[in-house]
Amino acid sequence: MPGQKEKQSIVERIGESELVVANPDKKGKEAIKTFKFNKIFGPASSQAEVYDDIQAFIRSVLDGYNSGPNNATNESHGVNYRALNDLFNISASRQSSIIL
């Protein structure tokens, strides 16, 4: 970036589940950092590829896991009810800006 004097970190390698970042300003162990992930999507990955990979997680919201106790109140709702309520509230608040 213009005005920045320091060298910037660079992505040295992207693997299936590992990302290696090099920092030219550092020495020894600090010069290279390795980050491990479940999966890494590169810049050429499509939105469809990303969604295909996380679709099961998204759908698990409806599966009833962590749903909370019977006759739950807003305070005792589980993860799936909280997630759905949040998404529906966001959708309702953005309805005027959504173009179909």
Side-chain angles (χ1 to χ4, degrees), residues 79-92:
V79 172
N80 61 347
Y81 286 109
R82 290 175 187 272
L84 287 170
N85 283 332
D86 189 37
L87 292 173
F88 287 129
N89 288 335
I90 290 169
S91 176

Side-chain angles (χ1 to χ4, degrees), residues 58-98:
I58 299 295
R59 288 183 174 184
S60 72
V61 170
L62 296 173
D63 291 340
Y65 301 113
N66 298 315
S67 61
N70 290 336
N71 301 319
T73 64
N74 284 339
E75 291 78 32
S76 63
H77 274 160
V79 172
N80 61 347
Y81 286 109
R82 290 175 187 272
L84 287 170
N85 283 332
D86 189 37
L87 292 173
F88 287 129
N89 288 335
I90 290 169
S91 176
S93 71
R94 296 181 183 175
Q95 192 163 9
S96 64
S97 64
I98 296 174

